Amino acid sequence: MKKKLLSLLLAGCLVVASLAGCASEGESDSTEAAEKTEGAYNLISQDLLGSDPAEGADFSGMKIGEIESYVINDGGWCQATHEGIVNAMNELGIPEENLIVLESIDDTDQAAVTSAAEQLIDKGCTLIIGASTGYASYLPEVAAENPDVKFAQWGTKVDGLIGYEMRSYEGMFLAGYASGLLSETPQLGFSASYNEFSVRTAINAYALGAKYAKEDATVKVACADSWYDIDKETQCAQSLIDAGIKYMGMEASSPAIPETCKKNGAFVVGYHNDMSYIAPEAVLVSFTWNFAPIFKQIMISVNDGSATADDFYYWGGECSKLTDFASFVPEDVQAKVAEAKAKIESGELNVYAGELKDNKGNVLVEDGQVMSDDMILLQEFFVENVDCAW
């Protein structure tokens, strides 16, 4: 279960027959999150991606705590986060037994979150990773009372906690571009979980990528209003297919969407982890959260004493990673995606460059300008070719 937010901005969304209109009642992240991102923070350079610790640095005694909102083998968000932590530890020679994982900690329950953090502190953890956005409401108080322990928190930057996020829009733009190239029509779809900042990022980036392939491309959104619900996710995917859509993106964890696409001869971009094993005939490629480089650098800085609560990691590149394409994706499409990826890396192509409008006709970014990181992080908009009732 992914990163529940403090609250969601709006409600509603396109749904399927029995869901009639997708009512994301979720939680609103506007004012509070905006206040968080507007504050000063120490943006850690992406140039450190892939760097190694100082020669002779010893990590063997470092203890790490991990707080997850669901189980670490969920096939989605929690699994991606956990694997990133473990991979970073392996690179630094930290024994896996030095990782203490607390699963299914409700990120809306202050007592549960506080108790989990205190358990990890009592067990000697010097770095605690909060992998769900909702923890940001409660961990600062614990952090303030335990200055010798560093806390890393997913999502927008919060005072007192090391922040980490990912430029996931880079990978999702490329996924949307591939889908747009493959689709015979300009109508594409997206099966979403909640109206939350990272979900909006995935939808918008996918839509902008599709538009990069086809100027008239549109992306119709169906929402399950859940981080993990096989029945609702099945209905969402089916509703898009029934609307004539053959290619879609997704932001969900269960196997329902790939399986529904497989049954209907449709295609999907997997999300969180490589989903090709679920439906190899239907999964074009998967977007994966490669958190290992970020976690590795956080661990290095905590170990050598340079980490501060002002640090904020917002990295793309190999962090925002696509798997290999399915063998049935034509080589010319794969080559075009690789070319677009190279342009993003060189700076020639900027996903959020202007002129850029939202789906209400408002200009988000003027021609010749580029959207700020703070605005990109919150994603309090849908781009103009997104068809969604939110």
Side-chain angles (χ1 to χ4, degrees):
M1 304 289 189
K2 209 175 164 188
K3 1 152 207 172
K4 271 190 186 174
L5 202 53
L6 308 175
S7 45
L8 277 185
L9 254 187
L10 304 166
C13 168
L14 155 74
V15 229
V16 286
S18 62
L19 297 180
C22 187
S24 176
E25 183 130 348
E27 316 134 66
S28 172
D29 51 24
S30 58
T31 304
E32 186 169 0
E35 290 172 353
K36 291 171 183 174
T37 54
E38 285 170 4
Y41 48 73
N42 177 31
L43 188 63
I44 304 298
S45 173
Q46 189 168 318
D47 292 342
L48 290 175
L49 196 155
S51 63
D52 291 319
E55 187 175 352
D58 181 14
F59 293 83
S60 61
M62 189 175 185
K63 272 196 169 183
I64 298 167
E66 174 185 353
I67 308 177
E68 294 284 0
S69 59
Y70 194 45
V71 294
I72 58 174
N73 62 347
D74 67 343
W77 171 257
C78 296
Q79 183 171 324
T81 303
H82 178 70
E83 289 177 355
I85 294 171
V86 171
N87 290 340
M89 291 175 63
N90 288 338
E91 284 193 45
L92 294 172
I94 303 173
E96 289 190 26
E97 56 265 29
N98 287 17
L99 174 64
I100 303 172
V101 183
L102 298 182
E103 300 173 283
S104 299
I105 305 300
D106 184 354
D107 66 0
T108 65
D109 185 337
Q110 181 173 4
V113 176
T114 300
S115 174
E118 290 173 345
Q119 285 182 56
L120 295 172
I121 293 168
D122 290 344
K123 291 180 182 294
C125 295
T126 54
L127 170 63
I128 296 174
I129 297 173
S132 183
T133 315
Y135 300 146
S137 298
Y138 314 123
L139 290 181
E141 184 176 343
V142 184
E145 295 171 355
N146 297 274
D148 294 334
V149 179
K150 290 292 185 289
F151 288 78
Q153 171 65 44
W154 158 259
T156 52
K157 183 67 179 75
V158 177
D159 288 345
L161 309 177
I162 297 170
Y164 69 93
E165 240 278 22
M166 191 183 292
R167 298 184 187 274
S168 57
Y169 59 84
E170 293 180 359
M172 285 305 293
F173 176 90
L174 296 173
Y177 180 46
S179 298
L181 290 171
L182 290 164
S183 179
E184 295 178 359
T185 73
Q187 286 77 42
L188 291 90
F190 199 101
S191 188
S193 51
Y194 272 113
N195 182 7
E196 184 253 19
F197 74 94
S198 62
V199 184
R200 296 191 293 268
T201 299
I203 294 168
N204 285 329
Y206 183 83
L208 290 171
K211 188 174 183 180
Y212 190 64
K214 287 181 171 63
E215 182 62 31
D216 59 346
T218 59
V219 174
K220 191 177 188 69
V221 178
C223 174
D225 196 24
S226 171
W227 290 125
Y228 195 106
D229 190 309
I230 290 176
D231 291 340
K232 289 182 179 179
E233 289 170 25
T234 298
Q235 293 172 40
C236 284
Q238 191 64 55
S239 74
L240 295 171
I241 293 166
D242 291 346
I245 290 167
K246 191 171 182 179
Y247 291 86
M248 69 183 72
M250 63 174 279
E251 198 287 355
S253 295
S254 90
I257 298 166
E259 289 175 347
T260 304
C261 287
K262 175 185 174 182
K263 291 176 183 176
N264 290 271
F267 301 94
V268 65
V269 173
Y271 201 80
H272 292 311
N273 299 284
D274 186 352
M275 290 188 164
S276 60
Y277 72 95
I278 297 171
E281 306 94 330
V283 177
L284 304 169
V285 67
S286 294
F287 166 82
T288 63
W289 301 92
N290 179 25
F291 282 118
I294 294 175
F295 289 143
K296 178 183 174 183
Q297 189 56 43
I298 292 174
M299 292 171 193
I300 290 172
S301 65
V302 169
N303 191 65
D304 66 20
S306 63
T308 76
D310 294 327
D311 294 348
F312 184 50
Y313 293 77
Y314 190 29
W315 290 2
E318 287 306 300
C319 293
S320 179
K321 191 173 183 179
L322 294 184
T323 62
D324 291 337
F325 280 93
S327 59
F328 58 80
V329 176
E331 290 186 4
D332 65 320
V333 171
Q334 297 186 46
K336 289 178 179 178
V337 173
E339 182 181 354
K341 181 175 185 291
K343 288 181 178 180
I344 290 174
E345 291 173 346
S346 70
E348 181 181 349
L349 172 59
N350 192 301
V351 174
Y352 289 103
E355 184 186 63
L356 184 62
K357 294 181 179 180
D358 67 15
N359 62 352
K360 296 179 175 62
N362 303 307
V363 175
L364 297 169
V365 184
E366 300 286 350
D367 188 27
Q369 302 298 310
V370 175
M371 188 176 290
S372 70
D373 277 350
D374 283 352
M375 192 172 180
I376 293 173
L377 279 162
L378 292 179
Q379 298 276 320
E380 293 183 316
F381 56 85
F382 287 106
V383 295
E384 63 181 332
N385 62 325
V386 171
D387 176 9
C388 182
W390 284 331

